[in-house]
Amino acid sequence: MVQPQDIKTYIETNLPCERVEVSGDGHHFEAIIVSHQFSGKSRVAQHQLVYQALGDRMRAEIHALSMRTLTPEQWAALGH
Amino acid sequence: MSVHDIIDQQVKGHPVVLYMKGSPDFPQCGFSANAVKILKACGVTDFYGVDVLQNPDIRQGIKEYANWPTIPQLYIKGEFVGGSDIMTELYQNGELKQMLA
């Protein structure tokens, strides 16, 4: 079964990120991804970058993934 | 007509289209149920729902159409808006209601 740590690794391997947090139970996952790559992109384009990083695993192994994408500036604005 | 053409006609032929698992009255997945709930909360009652579980070709085709691997998918005036997470964000910050106005 896929673990949250696996998803974190898949994303980090294929997308330069400042921060990736993944939680989940093996079926449903939630991720927060902070990346410079998101700057100036629409939400759709940001999520597409993450889906791209996950590639075929999104079809095969991962049934449900909720995600929130943030630029480093947006992350900092949240008080982090 | 190709699957791409069918989808093209659906999203351009209706102001609001939701590709989902199950029907608007009986969603078969939590994310699709959330999408329906958000549309209704925005005052949209007559959106065009497409149940991908009834049509495997559309289910596959819609993922390629928007380069988006998950369902639900929301289209407003022919434009792809996003999936469940983006709908939730746009609902919470008030943008979705404006887009639907």
Side-chain angles (χ1 to χ4, degrees):
Chain A
M1 195 187 283
V2 190
Q3 297 302 318
Q5 182 59 42
D6 300 328
I7 294 183
K8 181 174 155 73
T9 306
Y10 299 153
I11 295 173
E12 284 174 336
T13 307
N14 297 303
L15 181 71
C17 296
E18 270 66 37
R19 184 183 193 93
V20 180
E21 288 174 17
V22 184
S23 59
D25 61 3
H27 297 287
H28 291 78
F29 298 95
E30 290 184 17
I32 295 174
I33 303 126
V34 182
S35 171
H36 277 293
Q37 303 278 320
F38 297 150
S39 300
K41 292 196 167 67
S42 69
R43 282 188 188 77
V44 167
Q46 292 174 352
H47 286 218
Q48 277 168 335
L49 280 178
V50 179
Y51 285 140
Q52 222 170 59
L54 291 167
D56 285 340
R57 298 179 199 279
M58 200 55 221
R59 272 179 282 279
E61 300 171 32
I62 305 165
H63 297 291
L65 172 69
S66 284
M67 65 171 118
R68 189 155 175 220
T69 51
L70 300 149
T71 63
E73 292 74 22
Q74 289 170 326
W75 178 250
L78 290 176
H80 295 284
Chain B
M1 195 160 35
S2 72
V3 175
H4 184 280
D5 290 340
I6 293 171
I7 293 170
D8 213 49
Q9 279 197 352
Q10 288 173 335
V11 302
K12 288 174 182 161
H14 304 85
V16 182
V17 184
L18 183 69
Y19 291 86
M20 60 181 292
K21 293 180 180 171
S23 68
D25 288 333
F26 294 100
Q28 301 285 320
C29 149
F31 294 103
S32 290
N34 181 55
V36 170
K37 207 172 79 184
I38 287 174
L39 285 178
K40 287 185 175 163
C42 287
V44 182
T45 49
D46 59 345
F47 63 89
Y48 187 73
V50 180
D51 181 0
V52 300
L53 299 178
Q54 302 292 329
N55 194 328
D57 290 342
I58 298 280
R59 184 178 185 172
Q60 189 50 42
I62 195 66
K63 296 178 180 182
E64 287 152 18
Y65 185 82
N67 186 26
W68 193 264
T70 59
I71 287 156
Q73 292 187 16
L74 175 69
Y75 293 77
I76 299 176
K77 301 182 184 86
E79 293 284 329
F80 175 56
V81 174
S84 173
D85 297 333
I86 290 179
M87 284 182 72
T88 302
E89 271 190 64
L90 294 177
Y91 172 58
Q92 286 170 350
N93 70 16
E95 280 179 54
L96 190 62
K97 205 161 186 180
Q98 289 174 6
M99 294 166 78
L100 289 163

